[in-house]
Amino acid sequence: MTDSTRAFTSTGTVHAEGLSAPAAATFDSPADSGAWGAAPSARYESLAQAWRPLFARIRASAVERDVHHRLPHEEIAWLREAGFARVRLPREFGGAGATLPELFALLVELGAADTNVVNALRAHLGFVEDVLNSREAPWRARWLDRLATGTLIGAGLSEAGSAKVGTFSTHLTRTADGARLNGQKFYTTGSLFADWIGVAAQEGDATVYLQVPRTAPGVEVLDDWDGFGQALTASGTARFTDVAIQPDWLRPSAERFPYAVPFYQLVHLASIAGIGRALADDVAQRVRQRDRVYSHGNAARVSEDPQILQVVGRARSAAYAARAIALQAARAIQGSHDAHEDPAAGEVQRRRADTLAHVEVDQSVSVITRLVLDASTDLFDALGASATLRTEGLDRYWRNARTISSHNPRIYRERQVGAYAVNGTAPPTSYRVGKG
């Protein structure tokens, strides 16, 4: 199979010479395709249109998955087959060569379908950026070839144990029989769906990064994440017991791509913006279809009640603003990427672009979070008590947004923005969690 056919040959894929996708259900709204703001590029609509039927298929069963705790194995397989996991790769490696603003706009749309799926792909998308930005030519070439085949990467960085901040209890040791990996990770988001797990471990005083096949002997991944939100991300435990590590599984450098912190945070923000889009569509459709009114309401039809329309308008406005803010931050991240790709850019220019990416994402966190958390509660004011039924699935919007926003506390982002505004202090370029 050639690179072009390998990349663009299945449901909802982008084709080198055009676009094709199967028919699928669309949102039942007269306004669902307009007034959401400018596209991030001239080609974005043609790029996104190929995946929108697939996103709609994923959204159609989102409530059922949430109610019955059905992990999205099938849905992620659809995206893998469609080439979505390769969207940032160059075309010669089966990708679409998407820019960062294009990627994040797509993630907002996928987040409107199911934020569990976005979060399950977050580690993979970050690893792709590591590969694209790597200066280690052999390692980069090896992984570009693997990613071109549709290989998925899951997360294995965070721990819930007693390791101190800045260290990991998971450790790599060198023995006469080769390197061995031992330890336990938590928040291993997406690893149950992945082929490889990206792991951080201690080797003496140094931190090392490596990719370990999920099915390697000694690797065990559990679906034991029991958070009230994002319940289908497979963000539970991964155990590594005397895992024999091959030399080419080790990364040659512990250096991450320069915009890693704002990138990973913006994936979360795109997810939250997607929740805003979904709940805005959902409440509008329900109000449009609702035929039961209150005797003390303002109209014979709910869809004509001005107070109800105000609630719907507020929710939609929140979703509009959340997307616009997220895409503006994505442009700042693209600026960091471009500065490091530009051979004429000096170190001062690159540091400036990196700082702006961090600050613009930090500035976005509280605003997007507040907008969508408020909207996910206020939407019930436009509906009746039946909207609280578990089978309606409307509670998942708040549960998922609250869980996502708890990963990296917004209070620290606000403090960092204040420190930059008052003292010119650049935000930190890496974060660790552990015992104090």
Side-chain angles (χ1 to χ4, degrees):
M1 183 178 290
T2 66
D3 283 337
S4 59
T5 56
R6 174 179 61 198
F8 308 112
T9 57
S10 60
T11 303
T13 54
V14 179
H15 288 259
E17 300 301 326
L19 302 168
S20 72
T26 57
F27 305 141
D28 183 23
S29 168
D32 65 12
S33 61
W36 284 112
S41 67
R43 70 159 187 169
Y44 178 76
E45 283 302 313
S46 61
L47 181 68
Q49 193 58 45
W51 280 298
R52 283 174 179 155
L54 184 53
F55 294 168
R57 288 175 63 196
I58 292 171
R59 182 173 183 176
S61 56
V63 174
E64 178 268 329
R65 285 194 302 277
D66 183 65
V67 170
H68 297 289
H69 194 82
R70 179 172 67 80
L71 296 181
H73 285 284
E74 185 177 19
E75 289 73 16
I76 289 175
W78 295 343
L79 290 168
R80 182 206 294 255
E81 183 183 2
F84 188 78
R86 298 191 298 265
V87 67
R88 278 278 290 152
L89 295 185
R91 289 190 177 275
E92 60 266 30
F93 290 97
T99 65
L100 288 162
E102 289 171 343
L103 169 66
F104 284 105
L106 288 169
L107 292 182
V108 172
E109 296 198 36
L110 180 56
D114 190 345
T115 52
N116 288 280
V117 175
V118 176
N119 209 28
L121 294 174
R122 180 170 173 259
H124 172 85
L125 296 171
F127 182 75
V128 169
E129 297 303 312
D130 268 325
V131 172
L132 292 175
N133 286 272
S134 177
R135 305 305 179 193
E136 304 287 344
W139 184 83
R140 182 179 189 272
R142 182 166 62 251
W143 276 102
L144 279 173
D145 286 340
R146 285 173 176 162
L147 293 171
T149 67
T151 293
L152 286 181
I153 311 298
L157 301 182
S158 299
E159 297 179 352
S162 59
K164 293 183 179 180
V165 173
T167 67
F168 296 102
S169 61
T170 301
H171 57 278
L172 183 76
T173 55
R174 309 281 178 167
T175 74
D177 297 321
R180 295 292 184 268
L181 181 69
N182 285 276
Q184 182 168 295
K185 297 289 185 176
F186 199 60
Y187 306 115
T188 54
T189 306
S191 288
L192 271 178
F193 314 113
D195 305 296
W196 296 72
I197 304 173
V199 180
Q202 290 298 125
E203 184 178 17
D205 294 331
T207 298
V208 294
Y209 293 93
L210 60 159
Q211 282 65 51
V212 180
R214 182 177 57 83
T215 57
V219 176
E220 181 184 16
V221 182
L222 307 177
D223 178 28
D224 59 350
W225 165 250
D226 65 350
F228 61 65
Q230 295 296 100
L232 306 179
T233 59
S235 297
T237 300
R239 296 179 182 139
F240 304 90
T241 306
D242 288 327
V243 180
I245 301 301
Q246 297 183 18
D248 68 351
W249 296 356
L250 288 161
R251 292 181 55 176
S253 170
E255 183 178 358
R256 305 299 306 276
F257 58 103
Y259 48 92
V261 167
F263 178 92
Y264 283 114
Q265 182 61 44
L266 193 54
V267 174
H268 283 327
L269 295 182
S271 292
I272 295 174
I275 291 172
R277 171 72 180 266
L279 71 85
D281 286 337
D282 210 344
V283 69
Q285 179 169 320
R286 288 167 187 267
V287 166
R288 188 181 313 114
Q289 296 174 342
R290 186 171 172 80
D291 58 8
R292 289 169 58 85
V293 299
Y294 289 97
S295 61
H296 51 297
N298 301 294
R301 291 182 56 81
V302 177
S303 60
E304 297 171 356
D305 188 316
Q307 286 185 282
I308 301 299
L309 294 178
Q310 180 182 10
V311 175
V312 176
R314 188 186 306 126
R316 187 180 174 93
S317 299
Y320 172 85
R323 175 187 179 274
I325 294 168
L327 294 192
Q328 176 59 36
R331 285 188 278 273
I333 293 179
Q334 183 71 52
S336 172
H337 170 277
D338 292 349
H340 286 270
E341 290 295 306
D342 182 1
E347 190 58 32
V348 171
Q349 182 179 345
R350 290 172 177 168
R351 283 200 304 270
R352 168 71 173 166
D354 295 345
T355 297
L356 290 178
H358 281 76
V359 172
E360 291 204 32
V361 171
D362 282 354
Q363 290 173 166
S364 305
V365 170
S366 281
V367 181
I368 291 176
T369 302
R370 187 180 306 112
L371 285 170
V372 177
L373 283 176
D374 287 351
S376 67
T377 298
D378 293 347
L379 71 89
F380 291 97
D381 292 332
L383 306 171
S386 61
T388 66
L389 293 174
R390 183 74 176 88
T391 52
E392 294 297 306
L394 292 176
D395 62 310
R396 78 188 194 280
Y397 294 135
W398 182 88
R399 289 188 289 106
N400 288 339
R402 179 66 269 179
T403 300
I404 294 169
S405 62
S406 298
H407 280 72
N408 295 297
R410 51 182 163 160
I411 57 172
Y412 297 141
R413 304 291 179 155
E414 291 172 332
R415 187 206 70 223
Q416 289 168 191
V417 171
Y420 177 79
V422 175
N423 302 313
T425 305
T429 58
S430 64
Y431 297 119
R432 291 283 188 87
V433 179
K435 294 286 187 179

